[in-house]
Amino acid sequence: MERLLEYFVPEKYKLNLLIDKHKKTIGGEVIVYGEAKNEVVKFHAVELEITDVLVNGKEMDFKADGKILEIKNVPLGEIEISISYHGKLNENMQGAYLSTYEYEGKTETIVATQFESHYAREAFPCVDEPAAKAKFELTIAVPKESNDVVLANMPELKLSSAPRPAGPSPRAAGAMSRAAALRNTPSQALASDDDYKTISFEPTPRMSTYLLAWVIGKFHSHTIKNKHGVEITTYCALNQDVQSVDFANEIAARALEFYDDNFGLPYPLKKLDQIALPDFEAGAMENWGLVTYRESMMLVSPDATLGTKKSVALTVSHELSHQWFGDLVTMAWWDDLWLNESFASVMEYYATDYIHPEYKIFESFFTGDCYAALMRDAYKGVQSVHQEVKSPEEIATLFDGAIVYAKGARLMLMLIRLMGWENFCKGIREYFAKYKYQNTVGDDLWEALKPFAEFDPKKLMHAFIDEPGYPVITNESGDFDKFSQQRFLLDGPCEKGEWPIPKVTEDMSGHYVLNLTDEEFNERLKDFDKLGLEEKLRLLIDRDLISKAGLQSAASLIPLSRQFTDENLAAVWNKVAALISNLTIYVDEDSPEEKQLKKHTLKLVDKKLTEVGMKTGDHDDENQIRLRANLMALDYYAEDEARFKELSSWYNEDYQKMDPEIRDDILSAKIYLEPKMVDEYLKKYQEISDPDVKFDYLMAATLVRDEKELDKVLTLLNDTEVVKPQDQLHLFVALYRNPKSRKKVFDWMTENWDKIKETGGEKTLGDFPMVIGRLARTEEELKKFYDFFEPIKADPTLTRAVEIGENEIRARISLIQKNQKEVFEALQKA
Ligand SMILES: [Zn+2]
C-alpha cells in the first residue's frame, strides 16, 4: 500500500476550522509545515471538497479524487502548504460526526470525532498514517447562539499565554482571506464574525493524526485533581445524572498515578478530559488528553451493578494506559496495532487490580478474555496477532477483539509472569525514555525488555505473535518435564506445530491447552479443593476445549459438571456454565433431550442457589455477587418456574426500587411468565437514560418466546430513532440467540445489508458473520450463511470473518453428528 509519508513529512498543522452542526458542515484552512521529499506531494482527503491549494503562498494546481489530494511541481525541502476545503458532518460514527440525544423535550446535537484507524482524512486533509507524527494547533469556530462547550486534546489557549490565537503566517493569512472572500470559505476571517465564537487550543506534542480529537456540545462534568497534580474532568450529556461520572473520574485519577509510578514518566499532558458520547461505535477511544467513551462503558449510576463498575474500571484503565503506550509511543504502522492493544489489554487488569484488589479482576480475565482468545485462536484462517495490512479497508478488520486484544493480552501476561512485574517495568521504563514522541515496531519492545529477562523475549513472542494458533500439550514424562505439542484446532484434526515454551505450568499463564489423560485428569479432580484457583480454571477450560475438539468425549461433561454442586467459587461456576453451554448444541429446541438437559442443570444449581439466596445480602462480597449471577444464569436456562414466580414478584415499575444486581434476572423471569410485558419494557427502554438499565429492559424483551410479542422487538431493528445504530448489533445478537427469532433476524440482515453497511460503520460489519458462526448449528443455517456471505466475501472487511464463520459452523455440525447419541445416553442417566 502506498505510504504518503514518503512524499511529504509533516511537522506541524495549523487547523482553522469552522464547524457548524446545524448546517452539518466542516471546513476551513489547513496549513501544514513540513518537508517535501518529492515534487509530487499527496494528502489523504476522503470526500472533502478541496477549493484552494497554496504552496509557500503560491496558488497551485491540484487533483482531488475524493480519496487523495495530489499537488504537483512542489519545491523540495521545507515548505508551507495551505489547503482550503469543506466537507460534511455525517452520522456514521467515524471522522467528524454528529451525535444526538433528547433532553427536556428537545434534541441536543453533539459534534464528536473518531479518527482511529484512518478517519481523520474524512475531517481534514492530512498525511493520515501513524508514523506521520506532527504538532497540531487547533482553532475551532462554532455558531455562537448554540452556546456549546468545545473540548480538544489540549487546554484552551488563554489570552494571557499568547497574544491571539496562534494565527497563520502573514503570507498564508493573506491567501486565506482572499480565499474566504472569493468563496465564502469558513476561515480565521470568521473569528470576528458575530455569528461565531472561536476557540484556540494549546499546541499538541508530536502525535499521530488518529489521536487528534474534539467534541462540541452541551455537557455537565465533575473535575478532580489526582495526587500527582493532574486535573481530570469527566463529562456526560445533560440527560445523564452528573454523579454518574464520578466513578470514572476516580478510576482515572488512580490509574494515572499507577502508570506514573510504573512507567517512569509522568502523564505527559496538562489535563485529562473524559467524555461519554450518546453515539459511539467502539467501546472507547484513547485520544490523547480527550478520551471518548460509549456511555455504557463510562457511566456508573447508583443503580449500576458490580459488573458495570468492573467493566468501566477496566475500560478507563485500558484507555489511560494508551496515553503512554499508543499515544506517547506509537506503532509505526497498523500491522503492529497489537503493540498498542495487547499492552493496554493486559495493563487494564494490572491497574484495576491495583485500584480495586477486592474485584479479583484477574479471575474475570481468565474466564473472559482469555477464554475468548482460546476459542477464537483455534480455527483455521484466524488472523495472527501481528498481521500484514495491504489496503486501507483491511485496517478496519484488524480489530478482532479475541486476537489483537485478548490473545495479545494473554501473551503479554505470559511474558510478564516469566519476567516478573518489576523486571518488566524496568524494561518498559527504558522503552518509554528512548522512544517517547516517536514510533516503534515490536522488536523495539523486545530489545528493551531483553536485558531484564532470563530468556529471549523476542524469540518467544515472535513464535506466538507472527503465526495464528497455539499448542495442545501432551505430557510425556513427570509433570510435563518432557512434553510433545501440536497445533490445537476446533475445526479439524490437530496439525504439526511447535512453540518455544520455556516451561509448562498448570496455572493460567501459558497460551496452550493441556491434553491430560483420563487418569491424570481424574487424579487432579480428586484433589480439586487443594488446587489453586488458576489450576482449577485450567482444568475446566482445557477439558471444555478438548471436548469441543472431539479429543475427549462430550458426554463426560455431564458427570463432570455434577462434581461442582457444592462449589463456592464464582469463577468455577462460570466454567461449569460453559460446560453446560457446550452441551446445549446437541439438543434441539423443545425436544425431550433438551428437557433432560434443563432438568440436569436445575439439579446442579438448586442446592447452592438455595444456600446463597436470590437477593443480594448486606454483607455479600464480590465472589458472592458473581456466584449468585452465575447460578441464576444457569437457573434461567433450566426454566425454573418456581423461582421465576418469586423473582417476578419483586418487579417494580420504578426500576430504582429493584435490587440492581438481579434486575436483569427479575426482568427475564417476569417476561417469561408474562410475554405481554414487551410493551412496557420497550417503553421503559425509551424513557430511561441510564445506559445500563435501558439495556437490561431491551435485552429482557428479546427473550420473549411469544412470536407476536417478539415481532414488536424485531421491528426495532429498522427504527434507528429508538435503537441507535451503535446498539443495532447488540440487538441483532440477542435476537439471533433466541431460537424463536433466529430465522427472522437472519432474513432481516440479508434484506437490510446495504443499510447496515451505511449506518453501522465498517469495523462492526464482520461481527455479523462472526456472531452467526458462533451460534449456528444446522445444515439449513449453514446453507443460508453460505448463500448470503459467499458472494460478498471478497469485501476485505468480511473475508476472514466469513471463512472462519463457515469453518466454525461446519465443525459444530460434525461434532453434533459424532457425539449426539452418546450425549443423549448420558442425559438419560443424569
Ligand atoms: Zn485500546
Side-chain angles (χ1 to χ4, degrees):
M1 190 187 341
E2 185 178 42
R3 306 285 175 89
L4 304 195
L5 191 57
E6 287 166 14
Y7 301 89
F8 178 74
V9 182
E11 274 298 315
K12 185 167 85 177
Y13 290 80
K14 282 186 179 174
L15 301 175
N16 295 305
L17 305 180
L18 189 143
I19 301 173
D20 190 326
K21 67 184 189 186
H22 307 302
K23 294 183 186 149
K24 302 186 178 183
T25 54
I26 178 171
E29 200 93 15
V30 177
I31 306 161
V32 200
Y33 304 84
E35 189 193 351
K37 299 267 199 189
N38 192 304
E39 57 185 34
V40 175
V41 303
K42 296 184 183 185
F43 290 89
H44 293 105
V46 169
E47 286 171 38
L48 300 177
E49 193 184 330
I50 311 292
T51 52
D52 232 341
V53 175
L54 298 134
V55 172
N56 294 339
K58 197 175 135 236
E59 195 142 357
M60 304 292 283
D61 282 339
F62 62 88
K63 204 172 81 192
D65 64 1
K67 283 185 174 166
I68 301 281
L69 161 66
E70 194 179 310
I71 312 162
K72 284 196 179 116
N73 304 318
V74 171
L76 296 182
E78 296 296 326
I79 56 168
E80 176 190 318
I81 304 175
S82 161
I83 305 163
S84 302
Y85 79 101
H86 43 85
K88 286 205 164 53
L89 299 172
N90 60 56
E91 277 151 34
N92 67 356
M93 299 179 282
Q94 66 189 40
Y97 70 93
L98 296 164
S99 171
T100 55
Y101 66 94
E102 299 297 315
Y103 179 61
E104 292 184 339
K106 264 177 41 202
T107 301
E108 290 287 341
T109 304
I110 295 167
V111 181
T113 56
Q114 170 62 40
F115 289 167
E116 190 180 19
S117 45
H118 55 299
Y119 310 120
R121 63 190 70 177
E122 296 178 12
F124 67 99
C126 53
V127 180
D128 196 12
E129 294 167 2
K133 284 197 172 184
K135 293 178 176 170
F136 295 85
E137 293 178 13
L138 181 64
T139 296
I140 293 179
V142 294
K144 200 185 264 173
E145 51 56 55
S146 62
N147 228 347
D148 281 341
V149 175
V150 184
L151 305 171
N153 305 76
M154 303 301 288
E156 201 178 318
L157 193 64
K158 293 286 183 289
L159 287 173
S160 57
S161 58
R164 249 304 298 159
S169 69
R171 205 167 43 200
M176 222 172 18
S177 42
R178 187 182 53 92
L182 279 175
R183 278 178 260 275
N184 198 18
T185 309
S187 77
Q188 188 72 26
L190 283 168
S192 57
D193 194 309
D194 279 351
D195 294 340
Y196 296 92
K197 72 167 175 182
T198 302
I199 299 104
S200 293
F201 297 89
E202 292 184 18
T204 69
R206 254 187 121 239
M207 60 182 245
S208 307
T209 44
Y210 81 89
L211 294 166
L212 196 71
W214 59 78
V215 178
I216 303 163
K218 286 201 229 7
F219 313 102
H220 43 193
S221 65
H222 281 162
T223 299
I224 57 170
K225 219 178 212 171
N226 79 355
K227 285 185 199 140
H228 299 175
V230 183
E231 202 167 271
I232 301 154
T233 309
T234 303
Y235 298 80
C236 63
L238 299 177
N239 66 339
Q240 299 293 349
D241 178 359
V242 69
Q243 312 291 336
S244 60
V245 305
D246 292 340
F247 183 83
N249 238 354
E250 189 58 36
I251 295 289
R254 304 289 316 278
L256 288 185
E257 290 160 16
F258 176 76
Y259 297 139
D260 280 354
D261 292 343
N262 285 288
F263 296 166
L265 265 176
Y267 174 69
L269 305 184
K270 280 188 197 161
K271 60 92 180 169
L272 170 72
D273 290 338
Q274 306 187 97
I275 184 162
L277 296 168
D279 297 274
F280 199 82
E281 189 191 9
M285 176 61 209
E286 67 264 23
N287 314 299
W288 215 359
L290 174 56
V291 181
T292 47
Y293 295 89
R294 183 181 273 254
E295 286 180 334
S296 61
M297 294 301 218
M298 196 197 87
L299 300 176
V300 173
S301 73
D303 301 294
T305 61
L306 177 67
T308 297
K309 286 183 192 158
K310 285 161 79 172
S311 102
V312 169
L314 288 170
T315 307
V316 172
S317 300
H318 177 106
E319 301 311 325
L320 297 189
S321 80
H322 275 315
Q323 305 298 300
W324 284 260
F325 218 98
D327 298 2
L328 181 66
V329 182
T330 313
M331 76 259 147
W333 183 242
W334 295 107
D335 61 338
D336 276 326
L337 175 69
W338 65 272
L339 252 184
N340 278 6
E341 298 307 344
S342 305
F343 185 86
S345 301
V346 77
M347 231 21 89
E348 63 185 75
Y349 288 94
Y350 280 95
T352 302
D353 194 42
Y354 163 81
I355 301 166
H356 284 291
E358 77 282 9
Y359 285 177
K360 299 196 174 69
I361 202 73
F362 276 102
E363 286 183 25
S364 311
F365 177 66
F366 296 127
T367 57
D369 282 354
C370 194
Y371 182 67
L374 287 164
M375 286 290 294
R376 184 94 181 137
D377 203 19
Y379 288 97
K380 289 174 198 159
V382 69
Q383 73 180 56
S384 52
V385 172
H386 175 246
Q387 185 69 42
E388 293 300 326
V389 184
K390 292 182 212 82
S391 71
E393 295 77 31
E394 275 184 19
I395 299 173
T397 72
L398 286 175
F399 293 77
D400 185 334
I403 298 299
V404 169
Y405 293 73
K407 178 185 176 184
R410 179 99 195 275
L411 298 177
M412 292 302 283
L413 181 90
M414 178 166 75
L415 179 70
I416 293 170
R417 284 187 167 186
L418 284 164
M419 289 183 72
W421 173 253
E422 282 307 320
N423 283 330
F424 176 77
C425 285
K426 280 180 196 159
I428 286 295
R429 287 198 275 272
E430 299 220 335
Y431 178 80
F432 286 134
K434 189 168 172 191
Y435 296 110
K436 57 185 173 186
Y437 307 109
Q438 298 178 52
N439 296 88
T440 55
V441 294
D443 283 348
D444 295 326
L445 177 62
W446 313 139
E447 288 300 330
L449 295 174
K450 198 177 171 181
F452 307 98
E454 281 167 7
F455 58 98
D456 185 0
K458 191 166 149 181
K459 194 173 155 216
L460 174 72
M461 297 304 268
H462 269 288
F464 276 99
I465 278 169
D466 294 342
E467 297 292 332
Y470 58 88
V472 51
I473 286 179
T474 308
N475 193 9
E476 298 294 343
S477 81
D479 284 337
F480 295 96
D481 293 337
K482 258 205 211 136
F483 56 86
S484 57
Q485 45 177 315
Q486 282 184 299
R487 178 175 177 197
F488 180 75
L489 286 169
L490 288 172
D491 56 350
C494 295
E495 286 175 356
K496 232 177 117 210
E498 187 143 2
W499 284 259
I501 298 161
K503 193 168 92 197
V504 171
T505 57
E506 293 192 39
D507 62 8
M508 287 297 295
S509 304
H511 190 53
Y512 44 74
V513 292
L514 302 179
N515 185 16
L516 301 178
T517 61
D518 279 343
E519 202 188 336
E520 288 168 329
F521 182 79
N522 290 329
E523 199 184 295
R524 283 159 182 77
L525 203 58
K526 217 169 58 206
D527 285 329
F528 194 74
D529 285 342
K530 292 189 194 121
L531 297 176
L533 175 84
E534 288 189 30
E535 281 81 11
K536 288 179 181 174
L537 289 180
R538 176 174 282 288
L539 204 62
L540 289 172
I541 288 173
D542 288 1
R543 182 62 38 152
D544 168 1
L545 286 157
I546 296 259
S547 74
K548 274 199 184 82
L551 297 175
Q552 294 281 352
S553 99
S556 70
L557 299 181
I558 294 164
L560 176 63
S561 59
R562 258 202 306 271
Q563 301 265 334
F564 303 100
T565 47
D566 290 314
E567 178 59 52
N568 284 314
L569 284 171
V572 170
W573 272 103
N574 179 295
K575 281 358 281 179
V576 175
L579 301 184
I580 297 297
S581 150
N582 261 358
L583 293 165
T584 58
I585 65 163
Y586 296 102
V587 296
D588 289 331
E589 205 205 341
D590 299 329
S591 65
E593 293 82 13
E594 189 192 50
K595 288 204 176 68
Q596 282 166 333
L597 182 58
K598 289 187 181 226
K599 220 171 90 195
H600 168 72
T601 307
L602 183 57
K603 260 202 275 178
L604 283 187
V605 296
D606 199 35
K607 185 176 164 206
K608 199 43 93 183
L609 191 49
T610 304
E611 189 186 311
V612 171
M614 290 200 288
K615 276 186 174 161
T616 312
D618 293 339
H619 302 289
D620 284 357
D621 63 6
E622 192 276 341
N623 182 68
Q624 194 80 349
I625 291 172
R626 257 192 318 140
L627 173 61
R628 178 178 300 109
N630 282 317
L631 294 169
M632 301 266 265
L634 283 167
D635 188 64
Y636 181 79
Y637 175 71
E639 298 186 52
D640 180 359
E641 289 199 29
R643 283 199 176 88
F644 288 0
K645 278 189 189 125
E646 193 175 359
L647 275 169
S648 78
S649 74
W650 299 335
Y651 178 79
N652 197 308
E653 269 184 54
D654 178 357
Y655 72 83
Q656 288 168 316
K657 292 197 173 128
M658 288 187 274
D659 176 352
E661 293 296 347
I662 56 165
R663 187 175 52 226
D664 57 341
D665 302 294
I666 295 174
L667 296 180
S668 323
K670 178 94 177 161
I671 205 157
Y672 178 94
L673 299 171
E674 299 167 48
K676 291 249 179 302
M677 289 302 287
V678 163
D679 291 326
E680 177 159 331
Y681 283 15
L682 295 182
K683 197 164 141 259
K684 293 279 180 198
Y685 171 73
Q686 291 181 63
E687 282 169 7
I688 297 167
S689 16
D690 185 319
D692 246 19
V693 183
K694 267 175 101 79
F695 193 69
D696 280 351
Y697 276 99
L698 182 63
M699 287 301 108
T702 67
L703 296 173
V704 74
R705 289 155 196 238
D706 179 289
E707 296 210 25
K708 223 177 86 214
E709 297 299 324
L710 196 52
D711 282 345
K712 294 177 184 166
V713 189
L714 270 156
T715 58
L716 292 185
L717 283 167
N718 290 323
D719 194 345
T720 49
E721 294 284 305
V722 177
V723 177
K724 284 172 171 278
Q726 66 161 14
D727 296 323
Q728 205 173 45
L729 179 70
H730 294 287
L731 181 57
F732 172 83
V733 175
L735 289 168
Y736 194 81
R737 278 185 186 284
N738 185 339
K740 303 277 186 214
S741 46
R742 182 169 283 194
K743 278 200 186 97
K744 282 185 186 167
V745 80
F746 187 94
D747 293 342
W748 168 83
M749 178 194 71
T750 60
E751 283 155 22
N752 291 279
W753 189 249
D754 290 336
K755 220 156 72 196
I756 295 172
K757 269 171 87 168
E758 215 174 281
T759 51
E762 60 182 6
K763 280 206 200 98
T764 48
L765 212 52
D767 289 346
F768 285 88
M770 197 190 284
V771 165
I772 297 166
R774 271 182 206 153
L775 295 165
R777 61 188 185 91
T778 66
E779 292 283 358
E780 192 198 342
E781 285 165 344
L782 175 65
K783 186 176 181 304
K784 284 176 88 174
F785 182 96
Y786 186 88
D787 289 349
F788 180 70
F789 284 114
E790 199 60 28
I792 56 172
K793 80 168 187 188
D795 178 346
T797 56
L798 292 173
T799 314
R800 195 179 292 120
V802 170
E803 279 169 7
I804 301 176
E806 237 176 81
N807 289 348
E808 231 177 310
I809 304 170
R810 278 185 212 287
R812 197 170 296 119
I813 290 172
S814 77
L815 198 62
I816 293 170
Q817 283 165 352
K818 189 176 151 205
N819 290 333
Q820 195 168 45
K821 206 169 144 252
E822 204 190 326
V823 170
F824 284 0
E825 282 165 15
L827 275 173
Q828 300 225 298
K829 284 184 233 144

